[in-house]
Amino acid sequence: MSDKKIIHIGSTVEKAEQGDYTLDVASILKEGWAITKNHKTPIISGLLFVFFIAIIAVSVIASYLGGPENMMADPQANVIANMVLTVIIWPFLAGVEMMGVSHAVGIKTRTGFVFAFLKRSAFIALTAIIVWSLTSLGFALILPGIYIAIALSLTVPLLIEKNMTPIQAIILSFKATRFQWLRLLQIYSALFSLAIMSILPAVMGAPLLISLPIMVVALLLLAPYYYNVKGILYREIFGVSMQVVDNNGRKDTYFSA
């Protein structure tokens, strides 16, 4: 016989809408690194799977759009390719996003998480397309693009964990992140700076035997670090509800939505 109970960790949607939460930049980055030391393999393997899917998708899309050269040269073909690729990979990438959320609340994950939310593929793909479109339009003016990219960076976890519609998730993300947007900018800027530093030796012309290992090792650490930090941000801003099921002494944990 199983016993179920709901536990909640972090903030709440109501607090997020009112800005009743705080973000300690240093503490979040420090906690993200501590989590990454113990929870990086599933994210790395999940991203490798998504990368493999993306390569296949790009090859197929390019063949229908007249080849890679034509796809890159033709702005319309490039937009179509980006939209199709977004629809294909985001239902899997959403699983990687939720790995970070899971790690932030102490749930272990596995590579198979990339398949965990395919039942919501249509909503995830639609959300990703809307976010991509808004961000692309914003980046045409540079600064609005940066604002939108940060403001909507947690939209997909909202869609999944809170069981929201795409529009609900986008609106809530805009509402909640405006209160601490500058601190979010600091956190994402720190992550971006680390990524730039990892490729700096190659850019500055260091020997390949030196620059390539540095870049590979750094990126293999930074990718899970990025998603784990996002998971912490989600917990601190919106909170996470989980369903704990006790099956004859064995406790299984699921997102309550």
Side-chain angles (χ1 to χ4, degrees):
M1 186 173 179
S2 62
D3 181 35
K4 300 179 182 179
K5 66 176 181 178
I6 301 295
I7 61 173
H8 189 85
I9 299 176
S11 184
T12 65
V13 168
E14 292 73 25
K15 288 183 178 180
E17 288 182 313
Q18 297 169 12
D20 185 16
Y21 66 88
T22 58
L23 298 177
D24 186 317
V25 175
S27 294
I28 289 171
L29 292 173
K30 184 178 179 181
E31 183 185 355
W33 183 247
I35 291 174
T36 300
K37 287 191 291 186
N38 297 314
H39 300 286
K40 55 181 175 290
T41 304
I43 292 179
I44 292 171
S45 56
L47 286 173
L48 288 174
F49 174 81
V50 173
F51 180 68
F52 177 72
I53 294 295
I55 290 176
I56 295 175
V58 168
S59 299
V60 174
I61 294 167
S63 68
Y64 278 96
L65 295 175
E69 296 81 7
N70 182 66
M71 185 177 72
M72 296 301 295
D74 184 348
Q76 185 176 359
N78 194 260
V79 169
I80 293 172
N82 279 322
M83 290 184 68
V84 174
L85 185 62
T86 298
V87 169
I88 292 171
I89 68 170
W90 258 100
F92 299 103
L93 199 54
V96 179
E97 293 262 342
M98 294 309 293
M99 287 184 193
V101 176
S102 299
H103 297 160
V105 294
I107 301 176
K108 292 182 179 179
T109 62
R110 59 189 188 282
T111 306
F113 242 59
V114 295
F115 304 105
F117 308 101
L118 293 183
K119 62 184 178 182
R120 302 210 70 196
S121 290
F123 272 2
I124 293 170
L126 178 59
T127 303
I129 284 292
I130 296 172
V131 171
W132 175 79
S133 299
L134 291 172
T135 305
S136 297
L137 288 172
F139 271 116
L141 300 173
I142 302 177
L143 290 180
I146 295 173
Y147 182 89
I148 293 170
I150 292 175
L152 298 182
S153 62
L154 301 174
T155 303
V156 169
L158 271 176
L159 178 83
I160 295 171
E161 194 271 327
K162 304 298 184 197
N163 200 26
M164 292 183 166
T165 66
I167 298 303
Q168 286 174 331
I170 288 169
I171 291 174
L172 177 57
S173 192
F174 261 125
K175 281 183 178 179
T177 56
R178 76 184 192 272
F179 297 105
Q180 297 280 337
W181 188 87
L182 288 177
R183 293 198 175 186
L184 287 166
L185 175 63
Q186 292 176 47
I187 290 169
Y188 284 120
S189 295
L191 296 173
F192 179 74
S193 298
L194 289 172
I196 292 297
M197 289 173 61
S198 71
I199 64 172
L200 201 57
V203 173
M204 296 183 67
L208 192 61
L209 287 174
I210 297 175
S211 61
L212 185 59
I214 291 175
M215 184 169 61
V216 170
V217 171
L219 292 178
L220 286 176
L221 290 173
L222 285 175
Y225 184 41
Y226 168 76
Y227 285 104
N228 286 328
V229 167
K230 284 186 71 176
I232 296 168
L233 289 173
Y234 182 84
R235 181 196 70 201
E236 294 300 299
I237 297 173
F238 301 107
V240 181
S241 294
M242 297 177 295
Q243 179 177 273
V244 180
V245 181
D246 190 335
N247 292 308
N248 298 320
R250 191 192 75 212
K251 287 183 170 59
D252 297 313
T253 308
Y254 311 91
F255 291 114
S256 61

